[in-house]
Amino acid sequence: MKFEGTDSYVATGDLTVAVNAAVTLERPLLVKGEPGTGKTELARQVAQGLGLEMIEWNIKSTTKAQQGLYEYDAVSRLRDSQLGDERVHDVNNYIRKGKLWQAFDADEKMVLLIDEIDKADIEFPNDLLQELDRMEFHVYETGQTVRARHRPIVIITSNNEKELPDAFLRRCFFHYIRFPDLETMKQIVDVHHPGIKEQLLTTALTQFYEIREQAGLKKKPSTSEVLDWLKLLLAEDLDAEDLKRDGADALPRLHGALLKNEQDVHLFERLAFMARRSR
């Protein structure tokens, strides 16, 4: 079982090494990187490339680790007992399986994505240590122990919004997805927009990387945003000449696809104003 990328996902050599190392070690793969660099999509492509089904657990600020195991609905059971419902005699009727339980209980090996783990409380990763390490957990209401029938491939993503505990990090294989260089970005664009004119692509990507490197930028545009921008340029049938800017017009064409807050728009407007004054 070896991941080598897919036709719709450009995986660099170091990324495929990380995925295959995590699979071999049977450790969770912790993937960090800027938002929009394809961390979540990686899990989907690993599942596709290995021919496996995927279970996705999207983490929110209110998510608790217990929800990934199971939830016991004591309120519904109490209500049913008051109504004389026969279901009340079987506690299993009030236990809802979480994403980990579903992955553990699957008939075949699965890919389990735990997406944006850093959104949750700082104790969240620690609360999953034993379950991810031993691949089992105890259900107190029924007295049963749930063990993974087939150890899932666990991929965990983080946007680095908060530090993760050392004990959790020790149990993971770590990989940081670096932002693509120009040549890698061209390969990514070719997957999504094949046949784009070379001159338009070169001009657009040159502007894109200039924007990313602009000092004072609050939010750098990501891979997903440059793909959206190129899609708009193609839809408008623009060419390289249409993208040319002078000092008086620092904002790129259709800049709303790249700049996502007013501070960054104002930054480029100020740059244009200063350029006009210096003439």
Side-chain angles (χ1 to χ4, degrees):
M1 184 171 286
K2 190 172 183 181
F3 177 66
E4 296 178 344
T6 67
D7 293 339
S8 58
Y9 188 87
V10 177
T12 57
D14 58 342
L15 180 54
T16 57
V17 167
V19 171
N20 292 317
V23 172
T24 300
L25 293 172
E26 295 188 327
R27 296 276 189 178
L29 173 63
L30 174 61
V31 185
K32 290 187 179 182
E34 289 182 30
T37 50
K39 300 184 297 297
T40 301
E41 187 61 25
L42 170 64
R44 300 188 180 111
Q45 296 301 322
V46 168
Q48 179 183 324
L50 299 180
L52 304 176
E53 295 295 321
M54 189 183 86
I55 292 176
E56 188 169 344
W57 187 14
N58 297 298
I59 307 303
K60 302 177 181 178
S61 60
T62 56
T63 303
K64 302 299 180 185
Q66 180 64 33
Q67 294 171 303
L69 308 180
Y70 68 93
E71 291 182 274
Y72 171 56
D73 192 351
V75 174
S76 291
R77 192 180 189 193
L78 175 60
R79 183 188 64 237
D80 287 349
S81 68
Q82 293 170 339
L83 296 173
D85 195 319
E86 287 298 317
R87 296 174 71 252
V88 76
H89 299 297
D90 185 357
V91 68
N92 288 293
N93 291 323
Y94 305 95
I95 290 179
R96 184 172 63 185
K97 296 179 180 180
K99 300 295 186 180
L100 265 72
W101 191 335
Q102 293 173 34
F104 287 5
D105 207 31
D107 292 330
E108 57 187 19
K109 198 177 190 68
M110 308 279 287
V111 172
L112 172 63
L113 169 64
I114 304 177
D115 200 25
E116 298 189 335
I117 194 171
D118 52 326
K119 280 188 176 180
D121 184 85
I122 189 62
E123 291 303 318
F124 180 92
N126 280 335
D127 291 342
L128 288 178
L129 284 180
Q130 297 301 325
E131 289 77 10
L132 291 177
D133 202 22
R134 297 180 181 176
M135 286 287 150
E136 66 177 41
F137 62 89
H138 188 70
V139 182
Y140 295 98
E141 289 77 9
T142 65
Q144 72 182 117
T145 298
V146 177
R147 294 185 178 88
R149 300 170 65 183
H150 304 277
R151 192 179 188 99
I153 296 172
V154 182
I155 298 177
I156 303 169
T157 71
S158 169
N159 288 327
N160 237 359
E161 292 183 7
K162 62 170 70 82
E163 288 296 319
L164 298 174
D166 289 344
F168 180 79
L169 295 175
R170 282 197 299 271
R171 288 166 168 81
C172 298
F173 190 92
F174 173 76
H175 182 74
Y176 183 85
I177 296 183
R178 294 179 178 84
F179 195 83
D181 58 22
L182 181 59
E183 289 308 310
T184 304
M185 185 64 80
K186 285 183 176 180
Q187 294 178 40
I188 294 171
V189 171
D190 187 57
V191 169
H192 295 271
H193 305 297
I196 188 170
K197 294 177 182 177
E198 181 65 28
Q199 192 173 3
L200 172 62
L201 178 60
T202 300
T203 302
L205 290 184
T206 299
Q207 286 191 17
F208 171 71
Y209 281 100
E210 286 175 352
I211 291 170
R212 277 186 56 86
E213 293 165 7
Q214 176 61 52
L217 200 65
K218 184 176 181 180
K219 183 193 178 304
K220 295 181 179 181
S222 67
T223 305
S224 59
E225 286 157 342
V226 74
L227 292 175
D228 286 346
W229 186 48
L230 288 168
K231 184 177 181 179
L232 287 174
L233 298 181
L234 292 171
E236 294 290 327
D237 198 24
L238 301 179
D239 57 28
E241 282 294 317
D242 295 318
L243 298 186
K244 283 189 175 179
R245 299 177 297 170
D246 55 31
D249 185 19
L251 282 169
R253 294 288 293 270
L254 300 167
H255 63 269
L258 298 174
L259 304 176
K260 297 301 179 73
N261 60 65
E262 62 277 14
Q263 295 96 318
D264 290 342
V265 173
H266 292 160
L267 170 63
F268 281 91
E269 288 175 343
R270 286 196 301 273
L271 291 173
F273 176 73
M274 292 168 64
R276 288 194 295 269
R277 289 191 62 181
S278 63
R279 287 184 175 183

